[in-house]
Amino acid sequence: MSSESSKKRKPKVIRSDGAPAEGKRNRSDPEQEGKYYSEEAEVDLRDPGRDYELYKYTCQELQRLMAEIQDLKSRGGKDAAVEIEDRRILSCVHFMTLKKLNRLAHIRLKKGRDQTHEAKQKVDAYHLQLQNLLYEVMHLQKEITKCLEFKSKHEEIDLVSVEEFYQEAPPDISKAEITMGDPHQQTLARLDWELEQRKRLAEQYRESLSNKEKILKEIEVKKEYLSSLQPRLNSIMQASLPVQEYLFMPFDQAHKQYETARHLPPPLYVLFVQATAYGQACAHMKSSQPPRQDKTLSVAIEGSVDEAKALFKPHEESQDDESDSDAEEEQTTKRRRPTLGVQLDDKRKEMLKRHPLSVMLDLKCKDDSVLHLTFYYLMNLNIMTVKARVTTATELITPISAGDLLSPDSVLSCLYPGDHGKKTPNPANQYQFDKVGILTLRDYVLDLGHPYLWVQKLGGLHFPKEQPQPTVIADHSLSSSHMETTMKLLKTRVQSRLALHKQFASLEHGIVPVTSDCHYLFPAKVVSRLVKWVTIAHEDYVELHFTKDIVEAGLAGDTNLYYMALVERGTAKLQAAVVLNPGYSSIPPIFQLCLNWKGEKTNSNDDNIRAMESEVNVCYKELCGPRPGHQLLTNQLQRLCVLLDVYLETEIHDDSVEGPKEFPQEKMCLRLFRGPSRMKPFKYNHPQGFFSHR
Amino acid sequence: MERAVPPTVPLGQMEVFQALQRLHMTIFSQCFSPCGKFLAAGNNYGQIAIFSLSAALSSEAKEESKKPIVTFQAHDGPVYSMVSTDRHLFSAGDGEVKAWLWAEILKKGCKELWCRQPPYRTSLEVPEINALLLVPKENSLILAGGDCQLHTMDLETGTFTRALRGHTDYIHCLALRDRNPEVLSGGEDGTVRLWDLRMAKEVQTIEVYKHEECSRPHNGRWIGCLATDSDWMVCGGGPALTLWHLRSSTPTTIFPMWAPQKHVTFYQDLILSAGQGPCVNQWQLSGELKAQVPGSSPGLLSLSLNQQPAAPECKVLTAAGNSCRVDVFTNLGYRAFSLSF
């Protein structure tokens, strides 16, 4: 059997090696299947488990056979060879079976590999597909977030609030039943409403514009009509002028003045209005006199109106320019250093520039003397200044000592206490001055006029010291409240100065003029005589040895006027240094005495000289004479003469000196001395004519 | 140096007038309060100012405390003299003497307690009262002045009990002797008279100007000041300041001071005097000038020593005269400060 199977197997191997193409024919031809043996098909039919059993069995058989052969061989014998031969054939058959099994195993391995490969390819394809799908998912997710992040323009629009929207919007837009629950629909509806409203407003705007156009046109027409009216009115006015003149009604003149007044700067305007008003009020009070001729106060405007207009027009521009020009100026100063001085000069001039218009006040006093006041306005400093001039009805002979009395520089000094008019009243000015290198306004007052405080008040300007204000505005009420007192003070000042002027003329000739209504103050016989009356400088006064007290008490300011009087009787010479306050005669002149007689006697070494000083200085009120007291100075001087008489006549006679008394006692005195300081009887009792102690 | 006049510049009419009034003020009289802490000063305008010495002397004294705590118008004319008892302040001026209660004054209620006028004979001019003198032993006040008499007023009843006549011109000053009830008076007539109060008559007359050593005819005869201590008397005025021995009525020391003296007083072993010129003079009894301490007034009229045991911290010398300031000397060496009207 084993040989059979080995025969069968051989051709099969040869054929399959030799002609592989025949296999197809073999399979497709089922008749040949029985003839051709296909091992591959056989593999499918056979069970691998049984093959394994077969393999095990075959191997065991072979081992047994081998062992039997070996056994036989070792025993040796004759029949052994036959036995061996049988056994050899059997084992060959088993070998053949093993070979077959081996082939089958190979074929099976090959088949298994093919199957695995196929399966692997399938898995790969699926994996690729999965990755594609994942990518797609990711992309879609991105798109979704992009959509979610989208911002709509409508969020920037300011919408009316929800409540308002439901109140105001018509139901066809608001659609409350839909939009109430749905915020999206609600927003849409609100946007609709907004659009509607905006459309309406735009419509309204267009209407207003056209209205405006219409009104402008109307105004144009009316303006044309008015301008055509002006020449006609002018001609009527022109025609009425002769009538006005004839009827003596200065309407036109006043009108012109008011026209000019419009160009005045505010403070001068306030002054002009208030002064005119005051002048008219005064004229009304004295209505018995014909108006206009005898006005005590007349007001006029001087200066060029055109210049003022020119000044006014580019005013707004120039303000803007200033800042620019400042910068420019800085540049130019850098460029042109040598001309710095000239530039500063120009700047100073610019700063001290006054308004081209000025207001003239003419104040007429009873004796027909006139005080001319010219008020100026310093535009850049915002202060007012005044220049004064006094004219008299009759020509005055000017005494030497009266030089300063009516000088424009000093005639109005200290009209109110302490108002010297030398410093600027505007505290802001100091900083302006620092910029251009002006030390004080004092150096310029002669040229510009004096910036007295009362001038500022008449112009309605007030510069409070405690709270500096950025802008000072001219105030009518301030001006009107100061007008009357100031005008009265001005009049009193001029009158007292004129009175002094007259008195000085006779004082210089050694005559003390005592008016008849003051005779009762003095005894009939006064022996001491005034021999000298001269003006002295402030510095000289301060240096006098007997004026120390007055200087220390601060009563000898440099605004006062200073005089030296010399009263003589025999060998006695009484020097009197006089301080004349500008506020004379309400503030009395102050006398300091020095008697040269038997040594030098002043208030520090002689109580009676001190008493004489206090007689004229402190008890001056009884010497004022009739109001307004212009006789005070002369009465004081006359009193000084009387006092010297009393002093000399009551001086005790030194018994040891030979000869008669130089000054026999002529005055009637009750007692010669009194009190601890041995006062002399300086008080004159009028009707009886005797002297007593105060 | 301290400037008593503030350097404010007077401007208006009122301020100028006030400045002039201050400038021409004369303080005639001063008097310490019984407690020693206050000083009353009377001026030529009839005002009395009360200064608080304790405030001015305290360590935290300001300018303000050198001003009067109260000023009141006491007389129409000048206040020539003031004296003080335990309760009262007496001030005298033109012809009348007024009494004030210290307690009221310090409460600033300044109403006079009473006002008396000595019996005068003349009518045309009311004689002034230059000097007041308290006589504690008989509780009376002696007034002397323009009518050349010493009037004694009983403080109990307020009546004028006697008048001592003898001076031929007005009386400047009075001084009381310690032991005997005797009063010295000096006057314009150049005499110092010694009066016995019990007998009410003049016991001694010294005509100072007749002694050649001290007479100075160019200054006049008048005796402006006198002070006494036991048997010694110092007086001055027109004649030179002289120390007299009363019993022998001879001048023992002539003090070499040219200017007429207006006030003199004994102080320990010194004699203090003041008059024309700004200085307070301190003399040894031998006639030697110990010191001259300048004050702030050009001329002095009165000196006052505060020796009240109640206020030892206020023990000062004050000097006043031809100015509105009262100089205060805490020791005799220099002027500490000035009180000012």
Side-chain angles (χ1 to χ4, degrees), chain A residues 417-418 420 549-555 581 585-592 603-607 610 613-615 617-621 651-656 670-671 673-679 690-694, chain B residues 3 5-13 16-17 19-26 28 45 78 80 94 124-128 130 146-147 169-170 172 188 217-222 262 276-277 298-299 301 321-324:
Chain A
H420 310 304
D549 293 343
I550 298 291
V551 177
E552 276 177 12
L555 291 164
N581 196 292
S585 56
S586 68
I587 297 173
I590 302 167
F591 287 71
Q592 288 283 289
N603 63 14
S604 62
N605 62 14
D606 192 323
D607 288 344
R610 195 160 180 265
E613 285 176 2
S614 104
E615 283 290 332
N617 290 343
V618 183
C619 308
Y620 71 93
K621 278 177 185 155
E651 193 63 18
I652 33 161
H653 188 236
D654 187 347
D655 295 330
S656 62
L670 290 177
R671 276 170 63 189
F673 297 101
R674 181 187 160 105
S677 44
R678 307 183 71 240
M679 287 300 151
F690 66 90
F691 283 85
S692 65
H693 290 89
R694 187 170 291 281
Chain B
R3 284 266 307 268
V5 179
T8 49
V9 179
L11 297 168
Q13 190 181 358
V16 169
F17 183 65
L20 284 172
Q21 262 202 336
R22 280 170 61 86
L23 212 57
H24 290 97
M25 191 184 289
T26 304
F28 282 112
Y45 303 115
Y80 285 131
D94 276 347
L124 255 178
E125 199 182 34
V126 182
E128 81 282 8
N130 285 327
D147 66 344
D169 207 335
Y170 77 92
H172 273 289
E188 184 71 16
H218 59 277
N219 279 343
R221 299 167 173 182
W222 54 280
K262 300 284 177 68
Q276 221 175 65
L301 286 172
N322 287 339
S323 75
C324 56

Side-chain angles (χ1 to χ4, degrees), chain A residues 202-272:
Chain A
E203 189 66 29
Q204 220 170 314
Y205 172 65
R206 228 171 299 138
E207 264 173 39
S208 303
L209 270 185
S210 65
N211 243 9
K212 185 183 154 198
E213 204 79 357
K214 226 184 275 171
I215 290 164
L216 274 179
K217 261 178 204 162
E218 271 173 45
I219 289 170
E220 202 70 17
V221 171
K222 280 179 185 168
K223 258 189 190 163
E224 260 169 49
Y225 172 71
L226 282 177
S227 58
S228 72
L229 208 60
Q230 179 72 27
R232 272 195 285 168
L233 284 175
N234 274 350
S235 62
I236 292 171
M237 296 248 288
Q238 210 66 35
S240 76
L241 264 183
V243 185
Q244 275 185 31
E245 248 163 64
Y246 182 72
L247 291 174
F248 214 65
M249 295 188 298
F251 291 132
D252 198 54
Q253 205 189 5
H255 181 74
K256 256 184 199 162
Q257 212 166 38
Y258 278 113
E259 183 70 24
T260 325
R262 270 180 39 204
H263 301 288
L264 285 174
L268 283 179
Y269 182 75
V270 168
L271 173 74
F272 173 77

Side-chain angles (χ1 to χ4, degrees), chain A residues 261-439:
Chain A
R262 270 180 39 204
H263 301 288
L264 285 174
L268 283 179
Y269 182 75
V270 168
L271 173 74
F272 173 77
V273 171
Q274 294 298 335
T276 317
Y278 179 69
Q280 281 171 357
C282 285
H284 276 298
M285 303 245 264
K286 300 167 192 159
S287 51
S288 57
Q289 297 163 338
R292 204 179 163 212
Q293 251 92 18
D294 223 29
K295 255 202 228 171
T296 52
L297 181 73
S298 63
V299 189
I301 297 170
E302 283 196 345
S304 145
V305 181
D306 295 335
E307 266 184 62
K309 275 184 193 164
L311 199 72
F312 191 67
K313 264 184 190 159
H315 199 64
E316 285 171 12
E317 294 165 29
S318 69
Q319 267 189 340
D320 293 341
D321 283 358
E322 261 176 302
S323 55
D324 294 351
S325 62
D326 270 358
E328 272 173 41
E329 266 168 349
E330 268 181 23
Q331 284 180 347
T332 48
T333 45
K334 271 174 199 166
R335 253 181 274 150
R336 290 182 286 163
R337 220 161 261 278
T339 57
L340 198 71
V342 182
Q343 269 195 342
L344 262 182
D345 246 19
D346 288 347
K347 273 192 184 175
R348 273 179 217 153
K349 267 181 203 158
E350 175 64 30
M351 178 158 294
L352 299 173
K353 208 171 153 191
R354 52 191 188 199
H355 196 272
L357 291 178
S358 57
V359 173
M360 277 276 293
L361 286 189
D362 286 355
L363 197 63
K364 206 172 274 181
C365 299
K366 277 175 196 138
D367 55 350
D368 273 356
S369 52
V370 184
L371 174 66
H372 305 275
L373 296 171
T374 316
F375 292 90
Y376 300 101
Y377 177 61
L378 304 186
M379 295 176 289
N380 292 325
L381 298 179
N382 192 25
I383 53 173
M384 286 171 73
T385 60
V386 68
K387 276 189 181 177
R389 193 163 54 85
V390 179
T391 55
T392 46
T394 50
E395 194 61 35
L396 281 179
I397 316 133
T398 305
I400 309 151
S401 56
D404 280 345
L405 280 180
L406 294 175
S407 81
D409 189 30
S410 72
V411 67
L412 297 181
S413 162
C414 295
L415 193 66
Y416 288 92
D419 194 0
H420 310 304
K422 300 262 168 87
K423 278 188 297 185
T424 168
N426 187 349
N429 289 165
Q430 202 49 53
Y431 303 102
Q432 292 173 289
F433 290 162
D434 287 348
K435 262 191 201 163
V436 296
I438 298 176
L439 285 179

Side-chain angles (χ1 to χ4, degrees), chain B:
Chain B
M1 221 187 95
E2 179 194 12
R3 284 266 307 268
V5 179
T8 49
V9 179
L11 297 168
Q13 190 181 358
M14 254 342 269
E15 288 115 309
V16 169
F17 183 65
Q18 277 164 2
L20 284 172
Q21 262 202 336
R22 280 170 61 86
L23 212 57
H24 290 97
M25 191 184 289
T26 304
I27 299 175
F28 282 112
S29 53
Q30 341 165 33
C31 179
F32 288 101
S33 70
C35 65
K37 287 179 182 164
F38 299 94
L39 174 72
N43 69 7
N44 57 331
Y45 303 115
Q47 297 164 323
I48 294 177
I50 308 293
F51 299 95
S52 168
L53 277 176
S54 51
L57 284 165
S58 72
S59 53
E60 58 258 23
K62 293 184 278 284
E63 270 312 300
E64 270 308 294
S65 47
K66 288 165 189 164
K67 289 273 167 193
I69 52 171
V70 58
T71 305
F72 56 96
Q73 190 71 38
H75 295 266
D76 294 332
V79 184
Y80 285 131
S81 181
M82 285 194 290
V83 288
S84 170
T85 64
D86 286 347
R87 291 176 60 222
H88 298 107
L89 172 72
F90 300 109
S91 66
D94 276 347
E96 54 188 16
V97 59
K98 288 184 178 182
W100 316 80
L101 269 176
W102 269 110
E104 290 282 313
I105 291 173
L106 297 181
K107 273 188 246 157
K108 300 180 185 177
C110 301
K111 195 156 169 7
E112 64 197 57
L113 197 64
W114 46 256
C115 172
R116 299 264 189 283
Q117 193 169 24
Y120 291 129
R121 280 178 294 180
T122 53
S123 57
L124 255 178
E125 199 182 34
V126 182
E128 81 282 8
I129 297 168
N130 285 327
L132 293 175
L133 183 70
L134 278 169
V135 187
K137 273 183 191 161
E138 52 180 55
N139 191 23
S140 64
L141 183 68
I142 300 180
L143 301 80
D147 66 344
C148 318
Q149 303 175 28
L150 283 81
H151 295 278
T152 310
M153 192 180 91
D154 186 21
L155 285 177
E156 197 81 43
T157 58
T159 52
F160 289 91
T161 51
R162 65 179 164 236
L164 303 173
R165 297 189 188 91
H167 276 286
T168 56
D169 207 335
Y170 77 92
I171 301 167
H172 273 289
C173 49
L174 294 169
L176 183 71
R177 299 196 65 190
D178 336 318
R179 278 168 296 185
N180 313 336
E182 285 177 343
V183 170
L184 284 161
S185 67
E188 184 71 16
D189 59 359
T191 59
V192 174
R193 290 166 202 257
L194 182 65
W195 310 83
D196 188 316
L197 289 178
R198 282 174 299 192
M199 290 145 70
K201 68 170 206 184
E202 188 180 333
V203 284
Q204 197 180 353
T205 309
I206 302 171
E207 291 175 298
V208 179
Y209 64 97
K210 286 192 175 163
H211 291 257
E212 233 167 73
E213 308 95 299
C214 48
S215 97
R216 292 187 297 193
H218 59 277
N219 279 343
R221 299 167 173 182
W222 54 280
I223 299 297
C225 55
L226 59 84
T228 177
D229 191 7
S230 65
D231 272 345
W232 300 96
M233 185 265 291
V234 62
C235 67
L241 190 68
T242 321
L243 182 69
W244 292 76
H245 188 244
L246 277 178
R247 244 178 312 174
S248 58
S249 45
T250 44
T252 53
T253 316
I254 317 286
F255 298 99
M257 172 54 67
W258 177 84
Q261 297 298 292
K262 300 284 177 68
H263 195 106
V264 67
T265 180
F266 285 95
Y267 176 66
Q268 292 165 354
D269 56 345
L270 292 175
I271 290 171
L272 307 180
S273 79
Q276 221 175 65
C279 296
V280 175
N281 308 305
Q282 300 170 21
W283 306 95
Q284 310 275 21
L285 292 179
S286 60
E288 215 175 294
L289 182 63
K290 191 189 169 220
Q292 274 194 310
V293 186
S296 65
S297 310
L300 294 174
L301 286 172
S302 68
L303 296 174
S304 191
L305 270 163
N306 188 12
Q307 286 171 315
Q308 295 292 343
E313 76 277 8
C314 299
K315 190 180 170 192
V316 292
L317 170 72
T318 55
N322 287 339
S323 75
C324 56
R325 298 176 291 277
V326 180
D327 296 338
V328 178
F329 302 81
T330 45
N331 67 30
L332 292 182
Y334 67 97
R335 180 176 69 96
F337 56 87
S338 296
L339 304 166
S340 171
F341 256 87

